Amino acid sequence: MGRIAFVFSGQGDQKVGMCRDLYETDPTFRAVLEKLDKVHHGLLDSIYNSSDEELMKTINTQPALYAVETAISSLLTQMGVKADVVAGFSLGEIAALSYAGSFSRESGMHIVSKRAEFMQEDSEKYDAIMTAVLRLDEDKVNEIADKYDYVFPVNFNCPGQIVCSGLENEIKSFEADVKENGGRCIRLSVKGAFHSPFMNEASEKFAAFLDTTIVDLPSIPAYSNFLGTPYGNSVKDVLAEQIKSPVLWQKIIEDMISNGVGTFIEIGPGTTLSSIIKKINKEVKVYSTGNVEAIEKIKEEVLC
């Protein structure tokens, strides 16, 4: 089975009512959400009683996903399933660092709420979006993006899947160019050009906020999206840089595998990261955690 990695999902997997069966049946999951609801008032309503349109707003999405992911990782710990190493995709990195002991769950909620606030502010300044490019390699995507002033390859997910951020009017032309070159694009369910220069101000504000916050070094290896390797002696600067910089996800997963990880458990409501990891390496074990059935499978196969 090898070492176990917890990988915490990012924006895009959110939906109203996510993990409801876990909330209704698992006392550990429910207790964590209720505790975080006292820190971030309205959290439970946002997760279970809002609209998809409201939950899709960055300022609501990020705290909601952080809370759900923190509750899932707590549930797994209670079961006896623990990670040897962690990583989080974009906002998931906050939950990963919380799991690794860099800050408490409650402090993590304050951190992710501020991150969401700053990124929402920058998102509202531009008519910008994100699109996933499929079937083309990194060199070709970079070549096409270089034709545009405001299109940036930002998430290097796996072979044949690179996400780009940019202004919507340029993204439309970019997508047409991608199609002409044999690729296809899928728009992401996020509003904003994350991990690009459009987030420069958010990154600066987040860095200033982190300077007022206690952030310890992780107690287990925790990978940085910005570095593509585990954090070193600096967490705050690297975490702030992440907002405006590409996510090196394929590099992270490949490095984990080369260092003995054989089992990946996606912490979150969906299966996006599970699908990406399977495209990077078909030999590793991959599990999701978004419902009771998925958790039962982990009990049967990981705890056996």
Side-chain angles (χ1 to χ4, degrees):
M1 182 172 288
R3 302 172 75 204
I4 295 175
F6 283 4
V7 288
F8 296 76
S9 58
Q11 278 181 254
D13 276 344
Q14 73 278 354
K15 59 182 178 180
V16 175
M18 55 187 169
C19 304
R20 186 183 294 277
D21 60 347
L22 292 175
Y23 180 75
E24 292 175 346
T25 61
D26 189 273
T28 299
F29 183 91
R30 183 168 57 252
V32 172
L33 283 193
E34 289 176 350
K35 190 170 185 179
L36 291 177
D37 183 65
K38 294 178 181 178
V39 177
H40 187 88
H41 300 297
L43 176 69
L44 285 172
D45 275 342
S46 178
I47 297 171
Y48 294 115
N49 300 313
S50 66
S51 65
D52 288 332
E53 183 179 0
E54 280 299 307
L55 189 58
M56 185 178 169
K57 294 178 181 177
T58 294
I59 200 165
N60 297 325
T61 306
Q62 294 193 14
L65 282 174
Y66 169 83
V68 166
E69 291 170 10
T70 301
I72 290 172
S73 62
S74 299
L75 180 166
L76 292 177
T77 299
Q78 183 69 23
M79 282 171 43
V81 180
K82 298 181 180 180
D84 300 300
V85 57
V86 295
F89 194 102
S90 191
L91 90 90
E93 197 165 307
I94 309 296
L97 286 168
S98 176
Y99 179 88
S102 289
F103 37 77
S104 69
R105 297 171 190 153
E106 293 78 12
S107 180
M109 178 56 75
H110 289 300
I111 289 170
V112 80
S113 297
K114 280 295 183 182
R115 182 183 190 271
E117 176 188 329
F118 300 144
M119 292 177 73
Q120 179 77 40
E121 289 173 356
D122 271 11
S123 296
E124 291 174 353
K125 295 174 184 176
Y126 311 99
D127 188 14
I129 56 175
M130 302 178 75
T131 188
V133 180
L134 308 180
R135 301 176 184 166
L136 299 181
D137 63 25
E138 181 177 335
D139 289 340
K140 178 55 70 172
V141 174
N142 284 328
E143 177 187 323
I144 298 171
D146 282 344
K147 299 178 183 178
Y148 298 88
D149 293 329
Y150 300 107
V151 175
F152 307 95
V154 295
N155 296 346
F156 296 88
N157 293 345
C158 62
Q161 186 182 125
I162 297 171
V163 175
C164 294
S165 288
L167 294 180
E168 185 165 13
N169 64 333
E170 287 203 353
I171 286 286
K172 288 180 179 178
S173 298
F174 170 77
E175 288 173 331
D177 278 350
V178 166
K179 186 175 181 180
E180 287 183 9
N181 281 273
R184 64 184 289 251
C185 292
I186 300 176
R187 294 281 179 94
L188 272 60
S189 57
V190 297
K191 178 63 177 175
F194 304 148
H195 301 289
S196 77
F198 290 103
M199 291 288 125
N200 284 349
E201 289 187 33
S203 177
E204 292 173 4
K205 290 178 181 178
F206 191 47
F209 167 75
L210 288 175
D211 279 343
T212 69
T213 306
I214 296 174
V215 179
D216 296 323
L217 294 178
S219 59
I220 60 173
Y223 277 74
S224 157
N225 288 186
F226 173 61
L227 299 173
T229 57
Y231 276 90
N233 294 323
S234 174
V235 175
K236 293 180 180 181
D237 292 345
V238 174
L239 192 56
E241 191 75 22
Q242 184 238 58
I243 291 177
K244 63 178 181 180
S245 304
V247 173
L248 305 179
W249 192 252
Q250 181 177 341
K251 181 180 178 182
I252 288 171
I253 300 304
E254 290 174 342
D255 193 76
M256 284 184 169
I257 294 170
S258 70
N259 282 286
V261 172
T263 299
F264 290 86
I265 299 178
E266 177 174 0
I267 310 297
T271 59
T272 299
L273 296 184
S274 298
S275 298
I276 289 172
I277 292 167
K278 289 175 183 177
K279 291 175 182 176
I280 295 172
N281 187 301
K282 294 181 172 62
E283 304 302 318
V284 296
K285 295 284 187 180
V286 184
Y287 297 91
S288 61
T289 56
N291 52 48
V292 170
E293 182 180 358
I295 296 296
E296 289 299 320
K297 184 176 182 182
I298 292 173
K299 283 183 182 179
E300 294 172 4
E301 298 186 12
V302 179
L303 283 177
C304 62

